[in-house]
């Protein structure tokens, strides 16, 4: 699954046409699937970091000890503005009892002003509170990344992906998300234990490009999340 970004995808207003096409097709697929979902279940929503979380396969292959189904409505290259524009498809149509949100890393990567994406994030949470007042909402800390290991990408690809992404930026943004959680009386969770090496980078054997995790990384995340899912 190719998720690397080119120079054309570093700006929110200039996403590659192939990515825009994929986003639209995936959301259309979700619209169709939403017609048959079971209400009151668990929802994962966010960007590619959520989209490639293989939670469906984990549910099929392992006994997670859950009495609810987990639906994934992640969409690659999604920003807070994108999520805000598609909340019916990605959230409200499912009427979940729990929502786990991982959104904003692309805002950071696309260099969207912090005030703008935090305002969007806050609006997302306000709308959830308004339309799903009994739903438990969990805001996730951003995953660590690995900007130092060479994963085979060209130099310009590496520069494009990491020009505005770093563990320091993500840590600061996670603190902002934690503040939003407090303001909206929601839950902030950090489920990143076990993902980093001694230098604080995402372990190289858990990622295929430094920013997106392999299933082995998501297994660790799932183990850290399980108490919140039950």
């Amino acid at each position: 699954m190719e998720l690397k970004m080119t120079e054309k995808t570093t700006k929110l207003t200039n996403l590659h046409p192939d990515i825009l096409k994929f986003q639209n097709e995936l959301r259309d697929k979700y619209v169709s699937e939403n017609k048959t979902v079971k209400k009151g279940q668990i929802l994962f929503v966010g960007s590619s970091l959520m989209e490639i979380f293989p939670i469906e396969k984990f549910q099929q292959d392992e006994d997670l000890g859950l009495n609810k189904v987990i639906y994934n409505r992640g969409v690659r290259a999604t920003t807070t503005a994108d999520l805000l524009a598609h909340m019916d498809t990605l959230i409200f149509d499912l009427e979940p009892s729990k929502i786990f949100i991982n959104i904003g890393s692309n805002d950071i990567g696309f260099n969207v002003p912090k005030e703008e994406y935090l305002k969007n994030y806050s609006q997302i949470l306000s709308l959830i509170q308004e339309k799903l007042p009994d739903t438990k909402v969990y805001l996730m800390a951003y995953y660590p990344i690995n900007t130092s290991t060479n994963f085979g990408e060209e130099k310009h690809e590496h520069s494009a992906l990491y020009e505005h992404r770093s563990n320091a930026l993500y840590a600061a943004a996670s603190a902002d998300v934690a503040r939003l959680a407090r303001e909206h009386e929601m839950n902030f969770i950090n489920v990143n234990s076990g993902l980093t090496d001694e230098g604080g980078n995402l372990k190289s054997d858990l990622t295929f490009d430094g920013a997106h995790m392999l299933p082995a990384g998501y297994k660790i995340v799932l183990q850290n999340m399980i108490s919140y899912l039950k």
Side-chain angles (χ1 to χ4, degrees), residues 41-167:
Q41 305 304 296
I42 299 171
L43 174 63
F44 284 7
V45 67
S47 62
S48 60
L49 299 176
M50 199 62 100
E51 180 199 333
I52 65 172
F53 198 133
I55 191 60
E56 291 90 350
K57 181 171 175 54
F58 289 160
Q59 290 180 104
Q60 292 172 0
D61 296 349
E62 304 177 28
D63 181 7
L64 303 181
L66 304 178
N67 60 5
K68 294 185 182 297
V69 176
I70 303 173
Y71 295 109
N72 191 332
R73 292 296 181 266
V75 180
R76 71 188 61 183
T78 285
T79 64
T80 54
D82 294 325
L83 180 54
L84 194 56
H86 298 280
M87 290 189 69
D88 285 339
T89 298
L90 301 178
I91 297 179
F92 298 134
D93 288 350
L94 292 92
E95 299 179 18
S97 60
K98 289 185 178 182
I99 304 174
F100 292 81
I101 304 176
N102 190 331
I103 194 70
S105 58
N106 286 320
D107 295 80
I108 298 166
F110 298 156
N111 203 26
V112 175
K114 182 173 80 166
E115 295 77 11
E116 181 177 331
Y117 75 76
L118 290 179
K119 180 180 179 181
N120 291 339
Y121 207 145
S122 184
Q123 281 188 268
I124 290 166
L125 302 181
S126 293
L127 286 170
I128 293 173
Q129 285 176 308
E130 176 185 337
K131 296 193 175 186
L132 299 171
D134 297 324
T135 297
K136 292 184 179 179
V137 182
Y138 298 83
L139 314 185
M140 298 174 65
Y142 298 110
Y143 298 135
I145 59 177
N146 186 324
T147 64
S148 58
T149 302
N150 186 322
F151 293 95
E153 71 270 25
E154 297 292 335
K155 185 176 181 180
H156 74 278
E157 291 179 320
H158 185 92
S159 298
L161 181 58
Y162 294 116
E163 181 180 3
H164 301 292
R165 301 174 194 259
S166 70
N167 284 318

Side-chain angles (χ1 to χ4, degrees), residues 1 3 8 10-11 22 27 46 52 96 121 126 134 136 140 143 154 161 172 190 204 208 212 221 223:
M1 181 179 295
L3 290 171
K8 291 183 179 180
T10 57
K11 293 183 180 179
F22 181 90
R27 285 191 292 259
I52 65 172
Y121 207 145
S126 293
D134 297 324
K136 292 184 179 179
M140 298 174 65
Y143 298 135
E154 297 292 335
L161 181 58
N190 186 325
S204 59
F208 58 87
H212 300 90
V221 171
Q223 291 171 358

